[in-house]
Amino acid sequence: MSITAAMPTAKERLRRTRTKRVSHLPAIKLSSLLPSHIDLRDPLKASLVCGDCGTWVPVTGMQSKTQKLVPHHTGKAGVDAAIRCRSSNRRIEWDMTIPEWHQALTDAVKEADSRTATTVLPKAFSPATDQTLRARAQRTPAGRLADWTAVLPRVAATDAHRQTVPAGDAPAQSPAVPLDKLQINH
Ligand SMILES: [Zn+2]
């Protein structure tokens, strides 16, 4: 044996197997799985997510008496180490019809959609802010004008504030503050 020989890696999963072996573990009930962990779109190419290794495994024997998960390794074919999954050759109990599975899957998808809609909705900006942000993102003269328009009311308000001198605050013995220079020219 060569020193460089690689460790055996997980094998591809065959859909049809000849083995008569059946796992001693109890049969997997379809109703015990998440609808999204069952694929019966093409009943002759059914697959399930194996509860033991958490990977998609083809179901064999769809046209014979017993249906089983095919013998499989736990990891990715050709990448992970060849470790046999204990749920290999495990029987499947069809306690759910295909229309029932389809309905359960549809309901689960609807449920997930409604949950997403309530949690992921972005916070709405005011129309003015939205307009400013859009124009700014475009970096156009219109954008700069929009920036200026957005900030003008605040500038005017600040200047107006500056010009109001409370009575009694003006120093009695010094020249008056030249207020006329603080006017803004539109
Ligand atoms: Zn498995």
Side-chain angles (χ1 to χ4, degrees):
M1 197 170 99
S2 154
I3 297 169
T4 55
M7 290 282 288
T9 54
K11 281 196 184 146
E12 289 288 343
R13 294 158 186 202
L14 302 172
R15 176 157 294 280
R16 290 165 192 277
T17 60
R18 289 171 183 275
T19 178
K20 290 272 195 286
R21 296 178 70 158
V22 176
S23 165
H24 63 275
L25 293 172
I28 299 166
K29 289 187 178 177
L30 279 198
S31 65
S32 72
L33 300 174
L34 284 174
S36 56
H37 285 186
I38 303 170
D39 185 357
L40 295 172
R41 285 170 301 172
D42 180 350
L44 293 181
K45 291 181 179 173
S47 36
L48 306 178
V49 172
C50 171
D52 267 305
C53 63
T55 62
W56 284 98
V57 180
V59 176
T60 191
M62 289 303 287
Q63 282 167 302
S64 53
K65 225 160 66 182
T66 315
Q67 290 80 42
K68 302 179 291 185
L69 287 185
V70 297
H72 61 282
H73 289 134
T74 55
K76 199 172 177 187
V79 178
D80 296 317
I83 301 164
R84 185 182 181 276
C85 179
R86 65 198 280 268
S87 283
S88 290
N89 295 319
R90 199 158 162 190
R91 276 181 305 111
I92 290 152
E93 190 179 323
W94 301 91
D95 62 344
M96 196 180 215
T97 63
I98 290 180
E100 278 169 355
W101 162 72
H102 210 267
Q103 189 58 53
L105 185 64
T106 311
D107 291 348
V109 168
K110 261 190 220 151
E111 224 252 333
D113 278 355
S114 67
R115 237 182 300 137
T116 312
T118 52
T119 51
V120 180
L121 266 186
K123 200 178 157 208
F125 290 118
S126 74
T129 310
D130 184 65
Q131 201 183 348
T132 309
L133 290 176
R134 274 173 208 278
R136 198 177 287 169
Q138 286 165 2
R139 294 178 184 283
T140 58
R144 284 189 283 277
L145 188 67
D147 275 359
W148 185 232
T149 311
V151 89
L152 254 189
R154 268 189 295 147
V155 172
T158 307
D159 278 351
H161 241 83
R162 241 188 258 154
Q163 286 173 41
T164 49
V165 181
D169 269 11
Q173 302 299 323
S174 62
V177 176
L179 293 175
D180 60 317
K181 289 286 191 288
L182 296 175
Q183 301 280 340
I184 51 165
N185 301 310
H186 288 286

